[in-house]
Amino acid sequence: MSFFESYFGVADGVSERAVICPFDHHTASGQAYRETNPSAHVNLNEKLFHCKACGAGYNEVQFIKAVLNCSMAVAYKLSRVYSNDEDLFDWRDETSLSEETRSMLHEFGITDAVLAELHVADQTPGSAMFPVFMYDHLVDVRTYTPQ
């Protein structure tokens, strides 16, 4: 799945899609507004974005940089992360939390509700894995092992 597919929610196999532009548009008097009807297109095969109303045109990495206001280096890393297909739903299906790890995290004051909301899991008892998601896509996993 590409960043475009995840960001715009267009993973249905159609290569070119009309989408709502996420960038400011301006009236003739200069007033900024956000559109509510699609004026932009993404080409998922070519990984290109173009808005016919505001003129914004980007490849996927440039789009990530513009929409997230990050550096090109970070945008490039994110585009590579999004080329991996693991997402929140895969993570939920394939992970669990042992009672030993759950007890350890309870000692730190982390409730079961927080553990569920953060989708905390473990591979070995006593070591917690905290997944990091962006637009429901797994971008990193942080592991905490006491001592």
Side-chain angles (χ1 to χ4, degrees):
M1 175 178 282
S2 72
F3 184 85
F4 283 149
E5 289 172 295
S6 184
Y7 184 84
F8 290 111
V10 292
D12 60 4
V14 176
S15 64
E16 181 124 356
R17 294 293 304 253
V19 296
I20 293 174
C21 181
F23 304 108
D24 284 344
H25 291 202
H26 296 88
T27 64
S29 64
Q31 181 76 21
Y33 70 94
R34 293 289 173 108
E35 70 174 8
T36 57
N37 295 311
S39 67
H41 285 81
V42 289
N43 184 309
L44 301 176
N45 292 341
E46 302 289 326
K47 295 191 175 189
L48 296 173
F49 169 89
H50 181 255
C51 178
K52 294 175 178 127
C54 73
Y58 302 107
N59 67 31
E60 191 171 57
V61 174
Q62 294 166 331
F63 178 85
I64 293 168
K65 178 185 183 298
V67 81
L68 298 180
N69 195 26
C70 63
S71 70
M72 280 301 281
V74 169
Y76 179 73
K77 287 177 187 176
L78 283 172
S79 75
R80 290 186 63 209
V81 164
Y82 274 82
S83 67
N84 134 20
D85 287 334
E86 193 166 3
D87 63 16
L88 173 61
F89 308 104
D90 293 334
W91 177 266
R92 282 187 199 156
D93 293 343
E94 297 174 8
T95 58
S96 62
L97 187 61
S98 69
E99 282 307 313
E100 182 180 335
T101 301
R102 185 179 304 280
S103 295
M104 173 195 70
L105 295 170
H106 285 167
E107 289 175 19
F108 293 119
I110 302 174
T111 66
D112 283 331
V114 170
L115 295 174
E117 183 178 339
L118 297 178
H119 309 287
V120 178
D122 64 5
Q123 286 181 323
T124 57
S127 177
M129 296 166 48
F130 295 84
V132 180
F133 295 99
M134 176 181 247
Y135 304 114
D136 289 336
H137 192 86
L138 183 67
V139 294
D140 197 6
V141 177
R142 295 294 168 169
T143 303
Y144 174 72
T145 306
Q147 297 136 13

